[in-house]
Amino acid sequence: MQLRNNKMYIPTDKGSLSVDGVGYLEVESDLIRLNLGITSNNESAKEAKDKNLQILENLITSLIDYGIPKEDINTKDILVSKNYIGCDNQQASFIVTNLVTVMINDISKLKDIYSLAIENGANDNISVDFLLSNPGYYYSKALKKASKDALNKATLLASSFNIRFNPSPFKIIEKSSSLYSIAYSTSKSYASSQQDLSSGIVKITAEIEAIFTTILC
């Protein structure tokens, strides 16, 4: 019980305090997606396709022999385009491309696998995506940091304006999403140095809005 001017005074709810909380993490990648392209150019579309198919089979065999599980190697549809030359756009040849993705769980093997792919015919659209094997775990940690940030901001604002607030928010809005709040890094690698393949940093951001009840003192 509080007394004010010799009369009993009971605090009453008086509005609300809304703050945004942000949590940010940078985590070293523990999962790699190696994207590979095999491109052949020939006057005959069939010959270009046949050549690509042979290279693709050799590439997959070399990866499996190295120790990559077959289920971690995925091929995509063949892309066929026409190559034109000259002012009159005369067709010169057909360009055929096969795309392959390789999931790598042991980052220490990335350079070896990358070199192996180049040696066995990968020659186009080569890039490395640095991923996380358990992104939800790290997003949860960022979300926790965002919650603490919101409470710290509310405490600071309440102190600045000389008001009290209930530290348990009556409404919380998750403004971010684990699907869109994780920024994976990519290295375009065909002509890059081996240093670019050493590691990658994944950036995770979580954001919430917390609304607290203020109390008139």
Side-chain angles (χ1 to χ4, degrees), residues 8-201:
M8 184 175 69
Y9 170 70
I10 301 176
T12 58
D13 290 345
K14 184 70 175 181
S16 61
L17 173 61
S18 176
V19 295
D20 287 338
V22 179
Y24 181 76
L25 288 175
E26 286 191 347
V27 182
E28 190 167 336
S29 167
D30 65 349
L31 180 65
I32 295 292
R33 180 171 58 220
L34 178 59
N35 307 295
L36 306 168
I38 302 168
T39 295
S40 295
N41 193 331
N42 197 286
E43 293 180 2
S44 165
K46 182 180 183 305
E47 289 186 17
K49 288 181 182 179
D50 290 345
K51 181 179 179 181
N52 253 33
L53 181 59
Q54 184 61 55
I55 296 173
L56 178 62
E57 291 176 353
N58 292 339
L59 174 60
I60 292 175
T61 298
S62 68
L63 292 171
I64 292 174
D65 288 346
Y66 180 83
I68 302 295
K70 190 173 182 180
E71 59 269 21
D72 289 341
I73 304 171
N74 296 288
T75 59
K76 298 182 180 180
D77 293 339
I78 295 176
L79 305 176
V80 181
S81 61
K82 295 178 181 179
N83 181 33
Y84 296 94
I85 60 171
C87 298
D88 55 354
N89 285 331
Q90 258 192 328
Q91 182 181 326
S93 61
F94 290 91
I95 300 174
V96 177
T97 301
N98 287 81
L99 302 177
V100 183
T101 60
V102 184
M103 300 305 296
I104 304 171
N105 296 293
D106 186 346
I107 293 182
S108 67
K109 296 180 179 179
L110 172 59
K111 292 181 182 179
D112 289 342
I113 296 171
Y114 170 80
S115 298
L116 183 67
I118 298 296
E119 292 168 4
N120 284 274
N123 60 2
D124 194 15
N125 296 313
I126 300 177
S127 64
V128 176
D129 297 325
F130 296 97
L131 311 175
L132 292 174
S133 59
N134 189 6
Y137 168 77
Y138 294 103
Y139 178 72
S140 296
K141 293 184 70 172
L143 203 57
K144 189 173 182 179
K145 291 183 70 172
S147 301
K148 290 182 179 179
D149 183 52
L151 183 57
N152 289 340
K153 287 177 179 176
T155 302
L156 177 62
L157 288 172
S159 175
S160 298
F161 291 103
N162 195 28
I163 59 175
R164 293 173 59 199
F165 73 100
N166 186 338
S168 297
F170 72 85
K171 187 174 185 180
I172 302 172
I173 302 170
E174 185 180 2
K175 300 177 73 175
S176 58
S177 163
S178 59
L179 184 62
Y180 302 107
S181 299
I182 302 179
Y184 296 110
S185 57
T186 297
S187 174
K188 296 292 183 181
S189 314
Y190 184 61
S192 65
S193 68
Q194 291 289 318
Q195 274 189 329
D196 296 333
L197 305 177
S198 58
S199 64
I201 299 298

